[in-house]
Amino acid sequence: MKTFLSRFAQDESGATAIEYGLIAALIGVAIVGAAGEVGTQLKTLFGTIKSKLVTS
């Protein structure tokens, strides 16, 4: 039992998995933020194109 607890205390594989999970979550947040910003810019661009087509 003592060796099991010793090995468990020194095992870092779970910490590595958590770190990879946090990195993936941060990348996901960055992608969502960038997509939202691009969507806003596209909406503005198409609005400008629409207004120029209507007035000409």
Side-chain angles (χ1 to χ4, degrees):
M1 182 71 168
K2 192 173 186 179
T3 58
F4 171 75
L5 291 175
S6 175
R7 277 190 299 152
F8 181 74
Q10 293 175 355
D11 186 18
E12 295 182 3
S13 62
T16 303
I18 290 172
E19 291 167 356
Y20 285 136
L22 289 172
I23 291 170
L26 288 173
I27 291 172
V29 168
I31 289 172
V32 168
E37 182 63 29
V38 169
T40 303
Q41 291 176 359
L42 282 174
K43 185 175 180 180
T44 303
L45 175 66
F46 285 125
T48 304
I49 292 170
K50 178 183 172 184
S51 66
K52 288 185 179 183
L53 288 173
V54 169
T55 57
S56 50

